[in-house]
Amino acid sequence: MRFHLALTLQALWAGVCQAAMQHYPAAWGHYDVCKSQVYSDEGLTWDYMACQPEAADMTQYLKVTLDPPNITCGDPPETYCALENPYMCNNECDATTDELAHPPELMFDTEGRNPTTFWQSTSWKKYPKALLVNITLSWNKTIELTDDIVLTFESGRPEQMVLEKSLDYGRSWQPYQFYATDCLDAFTMEPKTVQDLTQHTLLDIICTEDYSRGYVWKNDKTVRFEIKDRFALFAGPRLHNMASLYGQLDTTKNLRDFFTITDLRIRLLRPATGATMVDENNLSRYFYAISDIKVQGRCKCNLHANSCVYDKEKLSCECEHNTTGPDCGRCKKSYQGRAWSAGSYLPIPKGTANTCIPSNIGPVIRQNVSSLGVANRKEARVCDNELLRCQNGGVCVNNVRCSCTSDYSGLLCENHRCESELGGCGGPDSGQAPLTPPSLPGLLLLLLLGPALLRDASCWPALL
């Protein structure tokens, strides 16, 4: 008995040490398996985990639209001058010639080509009327951002710009960040940087002057929206403590929504002028040109899928855990035994799958064992199928009961053992958040059913 206890404690300690020493990837990459088969004394059983697709370059799946639609240069052909030198006017744009055309898809082609390919707007021919361009990137799918959004300009970086996001497929918009050479003058906002943000102000919308220099310097072509610096507010400077970020995303909906989009919109409000005064005699110096846009992220699948497919110009999660929908946002038709719930990142490293359970379960037992969905007693035995499995490391014994680890108890090891201890799971030494105690009818039901269930294996309920 003592030897067995020592082995158990040693295994638990090794697991704790391994979790504590694990450095998780900065791009949320370790939840890549939805379920796995594990060996027990009774053979193979399924272990379900929270899961999500790998991060990828999301620009390969988007649709881009420009407003106004005729804002791209080349129709009619036009000659441009360099911003730094108004007398060097050897750049030509002609939509009818491939070598001289600058359509919007060149913002997303492979970089590294020589000469550089880029989209370009018409020049500021209608000055002093503002040269306004909206570039909208749409995925028709919810996306979770995992890295900085980076725009690379071949013209001077805009003197005024707004990055906006939508969570409802472009029906409504909200600002992500303002950019200006003078934030007070352009947007009546005090200038800030992402380094000024804290955990409590992370959701604040700021205006920054860091990316609005007029001239095109060698290392000053990019405009960023810093995702990873915001992650670092919870995960540390090198993003080593991703568990802290995951915990916040699990418990704070506004934070999770902040990094979630269906569409992005780049509102270009004023081009680089390189000076305080616009040269009205040479307006071909002023325009927008973008050679590259980077948007790194993943399909949002609510932690119920580890892959996302692109078919017929549409992204869709390949849902697991008996969920369905583009984002795995609902239970399958025959698996609505309890309300759908997103998966959870916690506990690290496997998370909680929150698997949808079958609908054909007894209403009384559903009410009192809702977290596990124990089914009609006549249909099957416990822990002998995929869904009705022992939870939290429990082992199925003879297909009739679960042998739980020292930290859990219950028919399927669904309850933290600390619930029955003095102070409950919210006690100072428990390390657990307070849990809602089971209802009195549920306790009475389990007390009445327990002996009968243990006596006759054929009477054990099932999730199917």
Side-chain angles (χ1 to χ4, degrees):
M1 179 67 180
R2 291 182 179 179
F3 178 70
H4 177 72
L5 179 60
L7 287 178
T8 302
L9 291 173
Q10 183 180 13
L12 288 172
W13 179 249
V16 170
C17 291
Q18 182 179 7
M21 291 167 28
Q22 176 71 50
H23 287 176
Y24 296 104
W28 309 4
H30 65 285
Y31 289 91
D32 54 359
V33 178
C34 293
K35 64 181 180 180
S36 66
Q37 285 189 308
V38 294
Y39 283 96
S40 69
D41 293 340
E42 307 304 317
L44 282 174
T45 59
W46 284 107
D47 183 24
Y48 287 81
M49 293 157 278
C51 53
Q52 61 189 0
E54 293 287 340
D57 174 12
M58 301 308 296
T59 60
Q60 58 189 315
Y61 308 115
L62 61 77
K63 176 185 176 183
V64 58
T65 55
L66 271 64
D67 181 28
N70 61 347
I71 198 64
T72 299
C73 69
D75 186 17
E78 193 172 352
T79 300
Y80 291 81
C81 302
L83 180 62
E84 311 94 298
N85 186 349
Y87 304 104
M88 188 172 69
C89 303
N90 57 357
N91 298 319
E92 188 177 355
C93 183
D94 185 349
T96 62
T97 306
D98 287 345
E99 293 78 11
L100 300 177
H102 296 284
E105 54 263 28
L106 295 183
M107 292 185 280
F108 312 104
D109 63 340
T110 304
E111 289 302 293
R113 295 168 58 183
N114 191 14
T116 303
T117 57
F118 52 90
W119 164 81
Q120 185 168 318
S121 74
T122 58
S123 63
W124 204 354
K125 296 175 291 188
K126 297 181 181 180
Y127 179 83
K129 183 180 178 181
L131 180 61
L132 305 178
V133 182
N134 287 344
I135 303 172
T136 303
L137 315 180
S138 303
W139 284 270
N140 195 29
K141 172 78 180 71
T142 48
I143 303 297
E144 293 177 326
L145 299 173
T146 60
D147 208 334
D148 295 356
I149 298 170
V150 185
L151 315 179
T152 303
F153 284 84
E154 288 303 308
S155 61
R157 296 184 295 186
E159 292 183 1
Q160 294 178 16
M161 186 189 105
V162 184
L163 181 65
E164 297 179 326
K165 62 170 285 189
S166 175
L167 259 174
D168 55 10
Y169 306 95
R171 288 187 290 271
S172 64
W173 295 91
Q174 58 193 67
Y176 243 165
Q177 191 149 293
F178 295 87
Y179 303 81
T181 53
D182 188 332
C183 285
L184 275 173
D185 179 63
F187 302 114
T188 63
M189 299 174 68
E190 291 285 347
K192 289 185 178 181
T193 68
V194 69
Q195 284 72 33
D196 297 322
L197 298 175
T198 67
Q199 290 184 359
H200 300 293
T201 61
L202 185 152
L203 303 182
D204 287 0
I205 308 303
I206 66 171
C207 177
T208 181
E209 298 176 355
D210 280 3
Y211 302 105
S212 302
R213 184 176 295 177
Y215 288 106
V216 185
W217 301 107
K218 180 178 180 181
N219 298 317
D220 287 345
K221 290 187 174 184
T222 60
V223 173
R224 288 180 174 268
F225 179 68
E226 304 95 337
I227 294 290
K228 293 177 98 172
D229 284 342
R230 288 169 167 83
F231 287 167
L233 291 173
F234 293 104
R238 296 188 179 183
L239 305 183
H240 283 334
N241 187 14
M242 290 300 285
S244 175
L245 174 63
Y246 294 146
Q248 293 296 325
L249 291 170
D250 262 357
T251 57
T252 311
K253 182 179 184 298
N254 288 344
L255 183 64
R256 178 176 287 183
D257 286 349
F258 184 82
F259 298 112
T260 303
I261 62 172
T262 58
D263 307 76
L264 282 173
R265 186 163 68 184
I266 304 155
R267 294 181 55 207
L268 305 173
L269 306 180
R270 182 180 174 89
T273 62
T276 56
M277 300 295 292
V278 173
D279 182 0
E280 298 183 39
N281 297 318
N282 201 343
L283 294 174
S284 60
R285 298 171 61 191
Y286 312 117
F287 55 90
Y288 306 107
I290 299 177
S291 62
D292 189 43
I293 297 179
K294 284 186 169 59
V295 182
Q296 192 82 0
R298 64 163 48 89
C299 291
K300 179 179 179 179
C301 301
N302 286 296
L303 299 184
H304 288 310
N306 65 355
S307 61
C308 194
V309 296
Y310 188 63
D311 185 39
K312 298 179 181 178
E313 299 186 345
K314 187 174 182 180
L315 283 168
S316 185
C317 300
E318 292 197 305
C319 300
E320 301 269 3
H321 305 155
N322 298 318
T323 62
T324 188
D327 303 341
C328 307
R330 62 183 186 273
C331 292
K332 287 182 178 179
K333 185 175 182 180
S334 300
Y335 290 86
Q336 298 171 349
R338 63 176 172 188
W340 174 91
S341 178
S344 168
Y345 285 112
L346 302 177
I348 297 290
K350 292 183 178 181
T352 305
N354 290 329
T355 305
C356 288
I357 64 174
S359 305
N360 57 339
I361 62 177
V364 178
I365 299 182
R366 180 196 294 126
Q367 177 184 349
N368 293 288
V369 198
S370 60
S371 63
L372 296 169
V374 177
N376 192 304
R377 297 189 315 172
K378 297 181 180 179
E379 294 185 7
R381 294 175 296 176
V382 71
C383 59
D384 64 353
N385 57 70
E386 280 192 18
L387 288 175
L388 190 58
R389 67 195 188 285
C390 303
Q391 308 288 308
N392 301 307
V395 177
C396 187
V397 178
N398 298 326
N399 289 338
V400 296
R401 67 181 183 87
C402 292
S403 176
C404 304
T405 63
S406 60
D407 291 332
Y408 293 91
S409 63
L411 293 177
L412 297 180
C413 308
E414 74 276 14
N415 299 321
H416 286 282
R417 195 173 295 276
C418 56
E419 285 184 82
S420 61
E421 296 176 355
L422 184 62
C425 291
D429 300 321
S430 67
Q432 300 287 341
L435 299 176
T436 303
S439 62
L440 181 59
L443 287 173
L444 293 174
L445 181 67
L446 290 177
L447 288 172
L448 291 171
L449 292 179
L453 296 177
L454 289 171
R455 203 166 43 242
D456 186 358
S458 65
C459 289
W460 276 87
L463 280 172
L464 295 178

